[in-house]
Structure formats: structure tokens, C-alpha cells
Amino acid sequence: MSTAESTAAGGGGVDGRDELEEREGHALRVDNSSEDEETSEEDNDGEDGGGGGLLLLRPDHLTEPTIQFLWADLSHNYYLSLDWSKEMYSDLAYNGFISVTHLPYLVPEIQKRYCVMDWQNLKVTRNTRKRARRYRLAVDTCLDDVFAGITQHHGDSNWVIPQYQDVLRQMLEPTEIRVSGGTASIQVHSIELLDEDGTLAAGEVGYVIGSTYTSLTGFFAREYVDDCDGPALAEAPAEATGTGTPASPATAAEAEAGAQDTNQHPSDEPRQGSGDEQAQNTGRKRKLKYDGAGIVQVTALSRLLERQGFAFWSLGHPPRPPTATEKGQMMYKQDMGAHVISRRKFVEKFCAARSGLLPLDLAPTSAAELLAPSRSSPS
């Protein structure tokens, strides 16, 4: 059972008032340990290592001294909140927390490590450019369809529930965040990859704070067609669906808040949507109708963010390489050139870029044009 489940089931305390007061008695400062020391404490990205249940956060907890302490506390990463207001959500986001859900709680996480994209590191393969010819990238043209696609794609593991969607909808316009000594805003966006006929092939939701973009989660249209060039296969059982199932985190504590996804620990196949697929309900080889839509969407988005002057892109949790017993997860992030940094380095990077609010907008534009080689790109 995950930490969040244990807490929700009564396995740990969630009041947190006395615990917070006790913890605030410690030195409230950002950890100054070496990168090697910090990384050694952050190897377990998914589970909160502090024990004793998760701390319940209230708006009055989000003071600068407390935030500094939470940043420095590497034994904890997940927290809980019963406050679903846009003010609470935006305050948490402004301080680097990415929030998911585990009813009745909002589950903000200050990750132990973050996967980020710096534009000079983007890698775009020839195959991705070839696939991009049929697609157009757009921003904020069909949010409802993106929410529907996420819900269908992730099934029972979907944490972008209606209550969470309602919070995001309140921030579709620039929304001021309460900060001391300056101004800041947050704005939620949907990113859409459209096929030639205007069909939504892939998409995601995320938000802009300052000159940073943070991915939350995304999807691609899992629709199959016959591969007429492929060989015929042995007939499969009639009851098989052939549509596949989304890779699922077991609990909200295993979900992330980043992007694209996109941070729901999907395997490479659901996120990238690439290659020939063998459906089990036909004797013919099958392939995805919207071939490569996932990887085209994320790489084209990276180029768009660069063009519009963003400092960097937060993609949430790091990729997880395959092991002897488990498939790799989110490896597309590594393949496209994103890299992993510690919480301390992320906080420094994020805080330097969170003032103001950059606009993110795009009418449907050729993904191939966005991904065209440039002298500044290593790809």
C-alpha cells in the first residue's frame, strides 16, 4: 500500500498541526549539502520516505519559512490538502509543488528529483520529423476534448477527475498568485496535436508560471487500423479487444504532477504512440492510426516553448529505466533530451524564472515546420 493510501486509510496521521509546529522549530533553510549527498537521498522518486503519514497542508502553512523548510526536508515529498481552491493550487504551484489527486485529498508533491528540458538538449529524430508531416500543433482550441482523451486513455488510473478539472478551468485566464515582494501569475493551457482532418490525435494539460511551463498529464488516441503492407497473422481469440490498456500507477501517490504527462508513469508505447501494433482480435497486423502522435506532440511543444521565450520546461518525474522485472517508464523524456536535476537545483532554477507570466498561444501550425532542423539544434 502506498503512503497516500496508508494515510487515507488511517495508517498515519493527517492533522499535521502539531507536527508542522514541531518541524518548524528546526532550521528553516534550503539544504546546502553537496549534489552527491542530495542525490543519494533522492533515489526513491515515487514514495514518501518520512513515515508516519502525510502532513496536511493549509493555506496558512504556505509561509516563506515553512516553504523553505519543506524544500529542505528531503525525507518527504508528498503532502495532503483538503483545500481545492484555485488560490491553494496556485500557491502550491508557485512554490514548485505539482498536485495530483487521491480523494478526498489534493496531493501536492515537491519532488525529490525533476526532469527538465533545456532547449539546446532537444533531440528530434528523422523518423519523428517524417511522422510530423501529417500533424498540426495548437494551443487552447479544444480543452474539453483533451480532458476526455486523458480520461479515456488512463482509465481507472486517471487522476484528472472532474473536481480537479474544475480547479484548472478557474485558471484558464491569467490568475494572480499571492506573493510578497513582487507579482506572479499562473495560466492553465491545453496542448493539442491535430491530424490532417482536424481530429485530436494527442494532447496534454499544463500550466505556465513566469517563463516556465509545467506538464501535468497527456494522452494519445489509441486507435488501430490494418497494416495493409504487413503479413497476415494467425487468428486470435474473438474475445480479445486489441485496443490495449493504459499503463497505470497503482495509487495517487505513484502518480505525478508533469508531462506532459504526462507524469502518470505511462510506458513508452502509450506516450509515444509509435510503431506497428499487433491487435489480438484480427488475423492481420495492426498499427496505430495516429502513428507517432505522442512523440511528435512533445517535441513540437518543446520547439514552441523555445520560440516563445520560455526559460525551460518541467516534465515532472524522471524516466525510470527498465529492470529485470519491470518495463521502462517515461523513457521518451530521456530519448528527447530532457535531463534530471535534484530538488535543490530545480528550486533554484524555477524560482529564478517564476516572476511575471509569458503568454503561450498558437493557432494550428504545422508540426513539421516547428520541428524543421535549425543551426541551434543538435538534431
Side-chain angles (χ1 to χ4, degrees), residues 116-128:
V116 300
M117 172 62 76
D118 293 317
W119 317 129
Q120 69 273 15
N121 297 328
L122 177 64
K123 300 175 183 177
V124 185
T125 66
R126 291 182 180 178
N127 199 26
T128 297

Side-chain angles (χ1 to χ4, degrees), residues 50-237:
L54 303 185
L55 183 64
L56 188 68
L57 295 177
R58 300 192 310 266
D60 57 295
H61 290 152
L62 301 185
T63 62
E64 184 173 353
T66 301
I67 291 298
Q68 292 278 340
F69 178 76
L70 298 180
W71 284 345
D73 180 9
L74 295 175
S75 63
H76 294 83
N77 54 317
Y78 285 105
Y79 296 86
L80 300 174
S81 177
L82 288 169
D83 188 330
W84 287 72
S85 68
K86 68 177 182 180
E87 289 79 14
M88 184 65 170
Y89 188 100
S90 60
D91 282 359
L92 288 164
Y94 177 75
N95 287 294
F97 289 80
I98 301 176
S99 297
V100 295
T101 60
H102 189 75
L103 288 177
Y105 301 106
L106 192 67
V107 185
E109 182 190 10
I110 186 71
Q111 294 176 192
K112 296 183 178 183
R113 298 188 299 161
Y114 286 77
C115 187
V116 300
M117 172 62 76
D118 293 317
W119 317 129
Q120 69 273 15
N121 297 328
L122 177 64
K123 300 175 183 177
V124 185
T125 66
R126 291 182 180 178
N127 199 26
T128 297
R129 289 197 179 96
K130 180 179 179 180
R131 289 168 168 168
R133 295 171 187 168
R134 63 183 288 189
Y135 297 119
R136 294 174 297 154
L137 190 73
V139 176
D140 296 336
T141 66
C142 51
L143 175 65
D144 290 344
D145 292 338
V146 171
F147 279 148
I150 290 169
T151 300
Q152 181 179 12
H153 183 100
H154 294 292
D156 291 341
S157 68
N158 175 46
W159 49 264
V160 185
I161 58 176
Q163 188 173 352
Y164 191 91
Q165 293 177 26
D166 290 343
V167 177
L168 296 184
R169 290 180 190 278
Q170 296 176 56
M171 297 177 287
L172 295 176
E173 297 296 329
T175 303
E176 187 174 341
I177 303 173
R178 300 167 297 190
V179 297
S180 59
T183 61
S185 296
I186 183 172
Q187 186 171 7
V188 169
H189 294 282
S190 64
I191 311 297
E192 302 105 17
L193 190 75
L194 307 174
D195 193 28
E196 295 165 314
D197 62 0
T199 301
L200 182 63
E204 70 166 86
V205 289
Y207 55 77
V208 172
I209 293 178
S211 57
T212 71
Y213 174 76
T214 297
S215 289
L216 291 173
T217 190
F219 80 100
F220 81 96
R222 192 185 280 109
E223 182 177 347
Y224 292 83
V225 294
D226 286 342
D227 183 0
C228 296
D229 296 327
L233 303 173
E235 186 173 354

